[in-house]
Amino acid sequence: MSQSGKNGLTYSDAGVDIDAGNLLVEKIKPAVRSTRRPGANGEIGGFGGLFDLKAAGFNDPILVAANDGVGTKLKIAIDAGIHDTVGIDLVAMCVNDLVVQGAEPLLFLDYFATGKLDPEQGAAIVGGIAAGCREAGCALIGGETAEMPGMYAGGDYDLAGFAVGAAERGKLLPAGDIAEGDVILGLSSSGVHSNGFSLVRKIVTLSGLSWDDKAPFDSDKTLGAALLEPTRIYVKPLLKAIRETGALKALAHITGGGFPENIPRVLPKHLAAEIDLGAIKPPAVFSWLAKTGGVAQNEMLRTFNCGIGMIVVVAGADAERVSAVLAAEGETVIPLGRMIARAEGEPGTRYQGVLAL
């Protein structure tokens, strides 16, 4: 009896290249090793990554976990052919969410899925992840690479990240003593970070520019490279300020939803953040986005960070001391406002002045 079709099919015939996967693992081993820290010294390649909390110096820790992705910023990386920075974004989006709770990031795992595995591209992406981990002080202890033909078109890929941190019991943020009159400090962002990119891409389409054209807001870079500026990682400066001053009451990572969605997440229901928009100096990219897309101020504030990537709440008497520690660690610190009373049903964020877009 004859059989129709091809005999002896292999996984490679179905579009999955096991050899390419193995090559990628070998290529990324040096980058992974570069992220080692106390508590994590193993090699990748096992079924799970190990971490020793005692070796990391903790006595009675509470674990804090976060996961995130990079969103449609990946589409710009894919279309512009720039793959070595989105891994930094991936780490930043996770570890900044850990440090706002007073936790030190300890370990990171990534998930990288693509239609057709290109070991060079994969190594560039993981190189960025390792760079982000080094900046955050956490170990890249494992990950998953999934080659899934038919799920992702062309050179498309997706990334997800998973971070675990720890804080000693009783040291988590926000603290329970946030009060009316407390001062709000803002830490400058490095640009658009990793939120609002579906709107960014729509505005770029309206502009008629391509990714390799000169950026209208940064003459030193192409539009693609300028928009791919990685998310700032605030971990080490904030941990230093937390440990040296003991004065930080709350932190908020300004991601999707901007000020109105993220700041109230860390406030008691009877308090609101009064923000002086005139104190902010938005990077030129936000002015370009607002003008090119005709985006109103409130829409900018609920979509983008508009130049402030992190919010810090301290007592007025501690503001100068905390600002000095953060500035010494390389942060640009902006006095943004104060805590005011909030009646039931009122918003958790109120604005004074206007954004200088």
Side-chain angles (χ1 to χ4, degrees):
M1 183 170 142
S2 65
Q3 287 183 304
S4 61
K6 183 177 177 182
N7 288 323
L9 281 171
T10 66
Y11 211 7
S12 182
D13 293 326
V16 178
D17 189 341
I18 294 171
D19 293 332
N22 291 335
L23 177 58
L24 174 60
V25 171
E26 288 308 309
K27 278 182 173 290
I28 65 176
K29 277 184 176 177
V32 173
R33 284 189 201 110
S34 74
T35 70
R36 283 176 171 172
R37 53 152 294 151
N41 291 305
E43 283 280 358
I44 56 167
F47 284 95
L50 305 177
F51 194 92
D52 183 343
L53 279 167
K54 191 169 281 188
F58 287 90
N59 297 312
D60 186 17
I62 302 291
L63 293 179
V64 184
N67 72 305
D68 212 333
V70 183
T72 57
K73 188 173 188 176
L74 285 181
K75 194 65 182 157
I76 297 178
I78 292 160
D79 291 346
I82 302 170
H83 306 289
D84 58 349
T85 58
V86 285
I88 300 172
D89 290 292
L90 184 68
V91 175
M93 295 304 288
C94 296
V95 297
N96 285 341
D97 279 357
L98 294 184
V99 77
V100 296
Q101 294 174 91
E104 176 187 345
L106 301 174
L107 62 93
F108 192 86
L109 299 103
D110 70 281
Y111 173 79
F112 167 45
T114 183
K116 176 71 177 165
L117 185 59
D118 174 347
E120 291 292 335
Q121 180 197 68
I125 292 165
V126 177
I129 294 170
C133 285
R134 289 193 301 273
E135 196 175 335
C138 64
L140 179 57
I141 67 167
E144 166 69 1
T145 302
E147 189 174 26
M148 300 196 288
M151 284 287 286
Y152 296 91
D156 284 354
Y157 59 84
D158 200 7
L159 290 175
F162 309 85
V164 177
E168 294 291 359
R169 193 177 301 275
K171 299 287 188 182
L172 290 169
L173 295 176
D177 61 346
I178 304 171
E180 195 173 340
D182 281 350
V183 169
I184 301 164
L185 305 172
L187 304 185
S188 290
S189 68
S190 55
V192 187
H193 284 185
S194 293
N195 301 102
F197 273 88
S198 294
L199 179 55
V200 170
R201 288 166 49 244
K202 193 167 185 66
I203 291 168
V204 170
T205 300
L206 284 172
S207 77
L209 295 170
S210 62
W211 302 120
D212 55 4
D213 285 335
K214 187 178 288 187
F217 51 88
D218 185 346
S219 58
D220 293 334
K221 293 179 180 173
T222 64
L223 181 59
L227 289 172
L228 287 169
E229 181 67 33
T231 305
R232 189 164 181 82
I233 293 175
Y234 299 95
V235 169
K236 289 180 180 177
L238 286 175
L239 287 176
K240 191 171 178 70
I242 289 167
R243 289 163 181 170
E244 280 197 9
T245 70
L248 280 70
K249 293 189 176 189
L251 296 165
H253 184 200
I254 306 303
T255 54
F259 289 167
E261 296 293 331
N262 289 291
I263 299 176
R265 291 166 70 178
V266 298
L267 301 183
K269 299 293 182 194
H270 68 284
L271 292 175
E274 184 179 77
I275 304 290
D276 175 13
L277 296 178
I280 302 168
K281 293 178 181 170
V285 60
F286 294 110
S287 298
W288 181 77
L289 289 167
K291 286 170 183 166
T292 308
V295 186
Q297 175 179 282
N298 277 0
E299 188 65 20
M300 291 293 293
L301 286 165
R302 66 194 293 261
T303 306
F304 301 114
N305 67 63
C306 294
I308 301 294
M310 186 68 69
I311 293 287
V312 183
V313 180
V314 295
D318 295 318
E320 197 172 317
R321 184 165 56 110
V322 170
S323 296
V325 172
L326 290 167
E329 291 298 303
E331 296 300 331
T332 301
V333 186
I334 298 137
L336 271 189
R338 62 193 180 99
M339 286 296 152
I340 58 172
R342 170 171 39 156
E344 192 173 338
E346 288 184 339
T349 309
R350 293 193 222 157
Y351 305 123
Q352 300 279 339
V354 293
L355 269 179
L357 289 170

